[in-house]
């Protein structure tokens, strides 16, 4: 039985290869229908057999009730004779293959049960085959509709040019045993960060304000695209959210050449899933920045939508001081708000140029601040966990800033750590509060570089400028007092980061 | 030249058809064997359901011959093994035939091409 089906399929296949597509499809469908019909007839047959066995069982149960029955005995093919049915409990059963057995009615009943089981199995198999072929027939129907450009199917294509981009969207690969893609990504990030910072050091800081805003806008757009992609991926992978796990620091200045988007959508998706996903993403991001071209391609036989993604930023949760964790997007939004505020009028009467001259990494921290409760607050590095804020030995805690304040006051700068502001938008409250009126440029040069690597001696102590307290210093109060004097250069055996060295050089 | 090719083509075609018939014959006999296999399996299971109190008969021609239950079981098992062996044999035979018919098909197609070329050159 199975081999006949295979024969038919083989025949259909061979025929199809040699004919045109529509004819082939027709023939295929015909073969499918034939198989299904076959299955149905066999199904009918076996159903009849089962019914026969059922009635037989009934008869077997009632037969031994009487010792003998008066019946009409068939006599040849055309006649009957009255007679008696005796030995009602003794039956000779055909077991198959010319084997017989004498048994009682009850034993015969058991045998019939056993046979019925076989029949049921056969019926089930037939059902499965029928369903299978029905599905195949339906699928060929769908296929025909798809290729014939009827129905609601739309081909959506995205041509990916840059294949090197590595994203978090590649987490399918990353969840394999070797999570190499993720490491690659991290590697890229660090490399790029360093590269970018090196660049910034090299240039003499002619990032004009307009360029900066343009860059910010672009980054915002990229981030929105990334949001949408995350949603896509999360639906793909059933809500795996990898954003919360990442705590990589993302410099907000144009620092990220990080190629974040190797989003490689497969082009061979089943059409229904494509449409549903497209609808989903369209619903969630009406202001999507994707470029969509609806091309009606006659040659394709199917309406095709071409679109492409622009490169985006990864969304990162950043630990930004005082128990606030802003998403990258939120930070950008704040920037946008502040930008609008700023554009409406120069509120503080300062030229905005100073705050955007980024010559050293420290400038970053000065420039990019959060607006929390209307107050600009410096962003702490995300490498510093919140728990450290309350630790005694760390400078991240606000309690320890009191010591700093004293010392800073000693240097002629009345600026509480709390109010240390790096507003990129409301221009430089730093500038406003600077009583010394040091030029903003030099101010920028000598900002402390907040890194865990440096500075057992806090730089602000040694330089008569105001800087933000390096948050990650494990300084101890006694030690600070010791190093009040300008001693930074006098610790020769200590390793110094190149930024610090440059700074000291510039002094 | 074309005629010779034509004749060769015809003979090859006949051989191929013959081969196809052999294939189908073996196929049918194999199917029969499979049916017998399932049947004997059922008999074996049903014999297991019986006990020695029941008498077992075998139909040999028009005669029902009494058999011992255990003997019957043994006989049925032996028959099952025999059927399995036959099926294996037929399988290998079928594979051989298939392979040969494939070769033949290729020969046929190449001959056909030659013939067509000859036809193109010669008319």
């Amino acid at each position: 039985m199975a081999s006949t089906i295979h024969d038919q399929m083989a025949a259909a296949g061979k025929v199809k290869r040699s004919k045109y597509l529509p004819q082939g499809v027709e023939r295929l469908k015909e073969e499918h229908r034939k198989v299904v019909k076959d299955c149905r007839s066999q199904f009918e047959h076996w159903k009849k057999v089962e019914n026969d066995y059922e009635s037989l069982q009934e008869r077997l149960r009632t037969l031994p009730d009487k010792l003998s029955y008066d019946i009409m005995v068939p006599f040849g093919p055309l006649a009957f004779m009255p007679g008696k049915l005796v030995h009602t409990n003794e039956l000779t059963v055909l077991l198959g293959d010319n084997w017989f057995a004498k048994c009682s009615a009850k034993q015969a009943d058991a045998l019939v049960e056993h046979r019925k089981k076989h029949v049921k199995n056969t019926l089930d198999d037939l059902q499965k085959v029928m369903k299978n072929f029905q599905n195949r027939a339906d699928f060929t129907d769908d296929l025909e509709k798809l290729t014939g450009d009827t129905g609601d199917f739309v081909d959506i294509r995205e041509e990916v040019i840059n294949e090197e981009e590595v994203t978090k969207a590649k987490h399918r690969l990353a969840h394999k045993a070797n999570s190499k893609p993720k490491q690659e990504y991290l590697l890229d990030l660090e490399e790029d960060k360093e590269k970018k910072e090196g660049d910034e050091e090299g240039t003499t800081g002619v990032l004009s304000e307009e360029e900066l805003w343009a860059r910010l806008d672009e980054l915002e757009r990229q981030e929105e695209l990334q949001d949408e992609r995350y949603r896509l991926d999360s639906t793909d992978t059933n809500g795996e959210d990898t954003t919360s796990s990442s705590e990589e620091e993302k410099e907000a200045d144009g620092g990220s050449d990080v190629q974040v988007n190797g989003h490689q959508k497969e082009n061979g998706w089943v059409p229904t899933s494509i449409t549903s996903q497209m609808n989903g993403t369209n619903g969630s991001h009406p202001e999507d920045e994707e470029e969509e071209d609806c091309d009606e391609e006659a040659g394709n036989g199917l309406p095709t939508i071409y679109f492409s993604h622009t490169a985006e930023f990864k969304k990162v949760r950043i630990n930004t001081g005082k128990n606030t964790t802003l998403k990258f997007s939120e930070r950008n939004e704040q920037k946008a708000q502040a930008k609008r505020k700023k554009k409406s009028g120069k509120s503080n009467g300062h030229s905005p140029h100073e705050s955007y001259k980024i010559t050293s990494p420290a400038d970053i921290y000065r420039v990019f601040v959060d607006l929390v409760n209307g107050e600009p607050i410096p962003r702490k590095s995300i490498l510093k966990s919140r728990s450290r804020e309350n630790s005694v030995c760390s400078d991240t805690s606000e309690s320890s800033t009191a010591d700093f304040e004293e010392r800073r006051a000693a240097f002629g700068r009345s600026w509480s750590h709390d109010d240390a502001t790096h507003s990129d938008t409301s221009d430089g409250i730093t500038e406003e509060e600077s009583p010394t009126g040091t030029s903003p440029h030099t101010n920028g040069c000598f900002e402390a570089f907040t890194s865990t690597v440096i500075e057992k001696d806090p730089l602000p102590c040694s330089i008569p400028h105001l800087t933000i307290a390096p948050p990650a210093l494990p300084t101890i109060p006694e030690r600070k007092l010791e190093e009040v004097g300008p001693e930074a250069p006098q610790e020769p055996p200590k390793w110094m980061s190149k930024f610090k060295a440059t700074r000291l050089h510039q002094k | 030249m074309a005629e010779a090719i034509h004749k060769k083509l015809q003979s090859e075609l006949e051989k191929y058809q013959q081969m196809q018939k052999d294939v189908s014959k073996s196929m049918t006999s194999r199917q029969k064997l499979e049916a017998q296999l399932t049947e004997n399996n059922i008999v074996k299971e049903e014999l297991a359901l019986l006990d020695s109190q029941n008498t077992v008969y075998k139909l040999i021609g028009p005669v029902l011959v009494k058999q011992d239950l255990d003997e019957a079981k043994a006989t049925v098992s032996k028959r099952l093994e025999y059927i399995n062996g036959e099926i294996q044999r037929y399988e290998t035979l079928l594979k051989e035939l298939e392979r040969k018919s494939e070769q033949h098909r290729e020969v046929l197609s190449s001959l056909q091409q030659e013939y067509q070329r000859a036809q193109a050159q010669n008319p």
Side-chain angles (χ1 to χ4, degrees):
Chain A
M1 183 175 68
S3 48
T4 51
I5 293 171
H6 282 141
D7 288 345
Q8 283 169 346
M9 284 308 293
K14 277 185 205 159
V15 170
K16 187 169 179 233
R17 262 182 254 133
S18 59
K19 303 226 167 155
Y20 300 118
L21 183 61
Q23 281 179 318
V25 171
E26 270 310 308
R27 183 64 206 274
L28 189 67
K29 279 207 277 193
E30 211 182 291
E31 288 295 325
H32 279 146
R33 264 181 255 136
K34 221 194 285 181
V35 169
V36 173
K37 226 192 303 180
D38 236 356
C39 273
R40 267 212 193 97
S41 62
Q42 280 197 338
F43 188 79
E44 294 296 326
H45 171 255
W46 285 106
K47 253 279 176 315
K48 218 190 319 167
V49 169
E50 202 185 11
N51 287 334
D52 284 345
Y53 274 128
E54 296 267 328
S55 45
L56 180 64
Q57 268 186 319
E58 270 307 307
R59 173 62 76 231
L60 285 176
R61 283 183 200 126
T62 61
L63 202 55
D65 290 345
K66 285 194 350 189
L67 278 173
S68 63
Y69 290 91
D70 291 319
I71 54 169
M72 294 297 280
V73 185
F75 216 62
L78 301 167
F80 290 90
M81 245 192 72
K84 272 190 155 77
L85 193 65
V86 296
H87 296 292
T88 50
N89 206 25
E90 294 168 28
L91 298 159
T92 310
V93 180
L94 171 66
L95 302 175
D97 196 24
N98 289 342
W99 287 97
F100 290 83
K102 256 200 164 70
C103 28
S104 73
K106 284 228 170 83
Q107 285 168 332
D109 201 23
L111 284 173
V112 169
E113 271 303 323
H114 176 255
R115 284 190 201 174
K116 267 205 313 189
K117 229 194 304 176
H118 269 278
V119 171
K120 261 203 183 71
N121 286 339
T122 321
L123 273 177
D124 287 340
D125 288 343
L126 271 179
Q127 284 278 41
K128 273 187 224 156
V129 169
M130 217 168 41
K131 215 188 295 183
N132 210 358
F133 273 90
Q134 194 62 41
N135 287 340
R136 281 199 218 185
D138 291 341
F139 180 69
T140 45
D141 269 346
D142 284 345
L143 195 64
E144 194 186 19
K145 253 196 275 173
L146 180 65
T147 54
D149 196 13
T150 60
D152 306 333
F153 297 112
V154 174
D155 195 8
I156 301 177
R157 291 201 195 148
E158 177 197 2
E159 285 162 36
V160 179
I161 319 156
N162 188 0
E163 290 290 343
E164 315 159 343
E165 307 186 38
V166 179
T167 35
K168 250 191 162 173
K170 260 183 165 180
H171 56 260
R172 276 212 185 105
L173 285 173
H175 285 150
K176 278 196 215 155
N178 47 338
S179 57
K180 223 174 152 256
K182 244 192 179 157
Q183 291 174 6
E184 279 173 22
Y185 169 70
L186 287 177
L187 216 57
D188 282 348
L189 177 57
E190 287 162 10
E191 286 171 2
D192 288 336
K193 199 157 69 157
E194 284 190 13
K195 188 178 67 162
K196 184 57 184 167
E197 286 167 5
D199 282 347
E200 283 179 346
E201 293 247 8
T203 65
T204 49
V206 260
L207 282 175
S208 79
E209 171 195 345
E210 301 308 322
E211 288 173 9
L212 203 62
W213 287 126
R215 180 72 180 137
L216 279 175
D217 285 339
E218 187 189 347
L219 290 179
E220 276 181 46
R221 251 178 285 127
Q222 287 176 356
E223 192 190 308
E224 284 174 10
L225 288 177
Q226 186 64 37
D227 281 351
E228 176 258 341
R229 197 174 281 153
Y230 265 115
R231 241 159 278 237
L232 259 181
D233 284 338
S234 66
T235 56
D236 278 346
T237 61
N238 295 331
E240 272 175 333
D241 189 11
T242 47
T243 54
S244 54
S245 64
S246 75
E247 287 221 325
E248 297 153 279
E249 180 173 27
K250 212 58 163 115
E251 302 292 359
D253 58 349
S256 283
D257 298 332
V258 173
Q259 306 297 324
V260 166
N261 316 301
H263 192 95
Q264 294 152 359
K265 281 190 183 168
E266 303 130 16
N267 288 334
W269 277 352
V270 178
T272 49
S273 73
I274 289 180
T275 48
S276 67
Q277 281 188 355
M278 273 303 289
N279 289 338
T281 56
N282 284 339
S284 65
H285 283 275
E287 72 278 358
D288 239 350
E289 295 295 335
E290 295 176 357
E291 307 157 15
E292 286 191 14
D293 299 331
C294 279
D295 287 347
E296 297 286 338
E297 291 240 344
N300 196 12
L302 206 62
T304 314
I305 296 175
Y306 290 91
F307 70 95
S308 62
H309 283 92
T310 57
E312 305 174 3
F313 260 97
K314 192 170 80 74
K315 181 160 60 172
V316 174
R317 286 191 189 276
I318 302 169
N319 189 349
T320 55
K322 290 214 181 55
N323 297 326
T324 60
T325 314
L326 292 185
K327 284 193 211 172
F328 195 72
S329 57
E330 293 171 18
R331 189 165 69 180
N332 279 347
E333 282 169 17
Q334 286 182 349
K335 276 190 229 157
Q337 282 177 8
K339 162 185 169 182
R340 275 177 243 126
K341 248 199 292 176
K342 185 216 144 219
K343 277 194 172 157
S344 67
K346 296 223 159 120
S347 48
N348 297 327
H350 299 280
S351 69
H353 285 288
E354 306 94 39
S355 32
Y356 304 115
K357 234 170 225 169
I358 298 181
T359 53
S360 76
D363 299 342
I364 301 164
Y365 286 87
R366 191 176 45 80
V367 167
F368 294 102
V369 287
D370 303 329
L371 278 176
V372 175
N373 302 326
E375 282 189 339
I377 292 188
R379 288 200 188 123
K380 298 191 185 168
S381 160
I382 62 165
L383 296 172
K384 331 273 189 283
S385 70
R386 278 175 268 175
S387 62
R388 296 199 71 188
E389 284 178 351
N390 299 326
S391 65
V392 175
C393 60
S394 154
D395 266 351
T396 58
S397 75
E398 280 129 34
S399 56
S400 74
T401 58
D403 299 330
F404 267 106
E405 285 174 25
E406 293 169 27
R407 251 165 296 125
R408 261 186 257 118
F411 290 120
R413 199 87 179 237
S414 59
W415 175 14
S416 78
H417 181 65
D418 285 340
D419 295 339
T421 58
H422 300 273
S423 162
D424 53 344
T425 59
S426 66
D427 310 330
I429 300 181
T430 58
E431 271 56 63
E432 195 176 6
E433 291 186 28
S434 158
T436 60
T438 47
S439 78
H441 184 76
T442 50
N443 193 18
C445 285
F446 294 105
E447 290 295 337
F449 175 58
T450 62
S451 138
T452 52
V453 198
I454 304 182
E455 294 176 7
K456 294 292 159 61
D457 69 323
L459 201 50
C461 302
S462 54
I463 301 174
H465 302 281
L466 184 60
T467 61
I468 56 171
L473 297 184
T475 52
I476 307 167
E478 310 83 66
R479 197 161 147 66
K480 283 186 222 158
L481 287 172
E482 281 174 3
E483 297 167 347
V484 160
E487 290 177 14
Q490 293 175 12
E491 293 187 4
K494 206 169 60 116
W495 175 81
M496 208 177 276
S497 91
K498 60 182 176 194
F499 301 119
K500 183 174 178 190
T502 354
R503 235 182 1 262
L504 294 179
H505 229 323
Q506 284 173 354
K507 248 195 304 179
Chain B
M1 162 77 164
E3 278 308 311
I5 296 180
H6 189 66
K7 275 205 202 90
K8 248 204 282 183
L9 199 65
Q10 292 284 56
S11 59
E12 287 295 318
L13 202 63
E14 278 169 19
K15 266 193 252 167
Y16 184 67
Q17 282 171 347
Q18 188 60 35
M19 199 150 286
Q20 286 290 89
K21 270 193 219 134
D22 291 339
V23 168
S24 57
K25 249 196 280 175
S26 346
M27 191 80 84
T28 42
S29 39
R30 189 173 171 276
Q31 282 172 353
K32 253 191 261 164
L33 278 176
E34 285 214 22
Q36 283 184 345
L37 184 75
T38 37
E39 195 180 2
N40 273 286
N41 269 321
I42 295 187
V43 173
K44 189 159 171 222
E45 286 164 19
E46 289 184 353
L47 279 176
L49 283 174
L50 294 172
D51 53 24
S52 46
Q53 196 256 322
N54 316 100
T55 37
V56 181
Y57 297 91
K58 182 141 171 78
L59 185 70
I60 304 181
V63 178
L64 266 182
V65 180
K66 202 159 150 187
Q67 298 274 347
D68 197 19
L69 182 66
D70 300 322
E71 254 185 67
K73 283 190 190 160
T75 317
V76 171
S77 318
K78 270 203 216 105
R79 181 142 174 87
L80 264 177
E81 283 170 27
Y82 171 73
I83 292 175
N84 275 321
E86 287 282 292
I87 288 182
Q88 294 295 332
R89 198 168 61 86
Y90 269 98
E91 285 261 304
T92 46
L93 194 65
L94 215 57
K95 271 204 201 102
E96 265 301 310
L97 282 176
E98 284 265 7
R99 206 171 45 79
K100 269 198 229 152
S101 64
E102 277 289 332
Q103 282 174 354
H104 246 98
R105 221 179 297 156
E106 281 166 27
V107 167
L108 263 180
S109 59
S110 60
L111 270 182
Q112 250 179 1
Q113 282 175 4
E114 267 187 55
Y115 183 62
Q116 281 168 3
R117 251 180 286 134
Q119 286 281 23
Q121 285 171 5
N122 288 356

